[in-house]
Structures are given as C-alpha cells and as structure tokens.
Amino acid sequence: MKLNIAKIAFAALILPASLGLLSCESEDENPTSESETQASLKATATQSSSGTSENGRFTISGFTVNEFTVGTQDVAMKYYASADLVGGIDLGGIQLKTTLNAELQTSSSERKSLNLVSNGETKVSLVGQGNTPEGNYKQVSFSLYSNETSSDPMYQKSLFITGEINGKSTQFWTETEKVIEATSESASGIEVENNTELLLSFEMEKLFAGVDFSNAIDANNDGKIEIRPNSPDGNAELLAKIEANLESSVVLKKR
C-alpha cells in the first residue's frame, strides 16, 4: 500500500509539469497572429512642381515624355508591426518584418508591365492587392522585369520611355533587371490599415538628375534619337547615367 501511495504522489507532481511543457510547446508552435487588412500597391510617374509642361506633356531636363512603361516582379515589403509600435519601443529598437506569403505581396510579385504615362498623361497602374499585416510600411523592393514575349512592345525591355528632345522623336530603354528599393518618405513608415493604397512613385526629376539631353545625338540620321543598349546612335553615357539613377528614383508614398 505504501508503494502505491508513493507512485500516486509522484504522478501528481509530474503531471502538472508535463502539462506545462505541452502548453509552452503549443504556444511556440502557434504564435499570436497579426491583424490583417485589405490594401493595394499601385505605381505612377511624377514630376516636381518645377518641371515644365508643353501641350499637356511634361518636360524634364529637355526630354518631353509621351509614354512610360516599366516591368516589375518579385516584390518584397518590410514593415514595423503594430504591436511593436503600440509598445512604445523606439524605432531604432524595432526590427522590420517581411510580409512573407501575404496576399498583397504575392499578387504584387507577379510579372507585369505597368503603364505610368500614356499620350503624355500620367497614369496610376495597379501592381497588386489583397490581405496584408497591419503596421507601418517602410520599404517596398522589386526587381525590374525584361519582357520575354517577342510580340510585346516591351520585348527585351524592363523600362521604356518615348518622347521628344528638341522636337526629335526619342526612345530610351534599358534591359536591366536590377532590384529597386523604394523607401517611405517618413522615417516611421506609412500606416497601413482600412484599405490603404500604397504608391510606388517614379520621380522623373530624380530619374533624369544630372542628365544633359542636349548631348543626345541621332548618329545614324534616321530621324530618331535612341538611348539604349548597343544603340547605333551611341549615347552610352546618357544610358549609364539614367540606369545609375534608377535605384534612387522610386519613393514609397500613400495615395
């Protein structure tokens, strides 16, 4: 009888401890989920108030823009979680999270060609939409996408701009698929809740910063200035400068 009583006492001590371990394991395997909201990511081209306008078309650094299309893919979004911000932690002590597997990021990551300027008028194109964690979004990165469809006007182009320089038809394009990181204007990011619209703003004055289009030439005299890889007109320095500006030309905003 004494032996049975000892066994019962031992079991009484062990059982609560075992249940406690199971409880901890369950909590670790199923962390508290973050609240989500519907949101969208869009893109457009913008010019500063100092830019000039001609017949409804804007002119930056001597380039009057008629059409602007960009190819995007592989979007990644980083944000400050709402719970961390509510906790009063200094921004320097908060780790940015990535919206892995969120509908908004998955939808935005699909390959697509976005029309940002058409017939000289700026357009707003949808990149993606869907559920995403609530929080303050600080960065959106994406890769430029060079189209592989031979019948598409964007074939072997990841960014394509047409217009005029001094009245002469002009085309600029690049094949690069480099990663572009758009950072929010605010250090605290953009608050995403209740169907927020995020905006990738391609700022034309930044894209053409330091570019002197008066040096653009039509070397083969076909009536068209081409600024592109392996261009028969040359213009290699202009191409390199614009490509170098790409990484700093896109800003994340709230629409």
Side-chain angles (χ1 to χ4, degrees), residues 18 31 84 148 186 188 200 224 227 248 254-255:
S18 300
D84 292 336
E148 299 170 356
S186 170
S188 60
L200 293 174
K224 180 173 58 181
I227 307 170
S248 60
K254 185 173 184 178
R255 186 167 184 239

Side-chain angles (χ1 to χ4, degrees), residues 45-47 52-69 115-122 159-166 168 170 172 202-205 207-208 213:
T46 58
Q47 65 166 329
T52 59
S53 178
E54 181 180 338
N55 298 324
R57 291 166 166 77
F58 61 80
T59 300
I60 305 291
S61 301
F63 193 153
T64 301
V65 177
N66 294 336
E67 306 285 336
F68 182 1
T69 305
N115 190 211
L116 308 185
V117 179
S118 179
N119 294 321
E121 297 183 1
T122 57
L159 189 147
F160 186 30
I161 301 175
T162 66
E164 297 177 352
I165 296 175
N166 295 325
K168 179 168 285 192
T170 304
F172 162 81
F202 287 74
E203 302 194 344
M204 302 301 294
E205 68 275 12
L207 183 62
F208 292 159
F213 285 112

Side-chain angles (χ1 to χ4, degrees), residues 94-224:
I94 300 177
Q95 185 175 2
L96 284 169
K97 294 187 175 183
T98 302
T99 59
L100 294 173
N101 303 318
E103 288 181 1
L104 175 60
Q105 179 164 317
T106 300
S107 171
S108 300
S109 292
E110 296 173 1
R111 291 180 171 181
K112 51 183 67 71
S113 294
L114 307 172
N115 190 211
L116 308 185
V117 179
S118 179
N119 294 321
E121 297 183 1
T122 57
K123 303 294 181 181
V124 177
S125 291
L126 180 66
V127 184
Q129 60 187 350
N131 284 343
T132 197
E134 291 184 344
N136 285 30
Y137 282 58
K138 179 64 178 174
Q139 298 173 0
V140 174
S141 64
F142 61 93
S143 296
L144 293 175
Y145 162 56
S146 181
N147 199 297
E148 299 170 356
T149 304
S150 59
S151 60
D152 195 294
M154 285 291 288
Y155 177 57
Q156 294 185 335
K157 304 176 183 70
S158 57
L159 189 147
F160 186 30
I161 301 175
T162 66
E164 297 177 352
I165 296 175
N166 295 325
K168 179 168 285 192
S169 176
T170 304
Q171 293 184 345
F172 162 81
W173 79 77
T174 179
E175 302 170 345
T176 182
E177 293 189 330
K178 66 170 60 179
V179 175
I180 307 296
E181 184 177 281
T183 303
S184 66
E185 295 177 300
S186 170
S188 60
I190 298 170
E191 186 175 8
V192 172
E193 61 175 0
N194 301 326
N195 298 310
T196 301
E197 291 186 14
L198 295 168
L199 187 68
L200 293 174
S201 176
F202 287 74
E203 302 194 344
M204 302 301 294
E205 68 275 12
K206 292 182 180 179
L207 183 62
F208 292 159
V211 179
D212 186 358
F213 285 112
S214 66
N215 293 325
I217 59 173
D218 175 19
N220 63 353
N221 295 311
D222 67 350
K224 180 173 58 181

Side-chain angles (χ1 to χ4, degrees), residues 68-79:
F68 182 1
T69 305
V70 62
T72 62
Q73 63 180 342
D74 300 334
V75 171
M77 302 180 181
K78 293 185 178 181
Y79 67 102

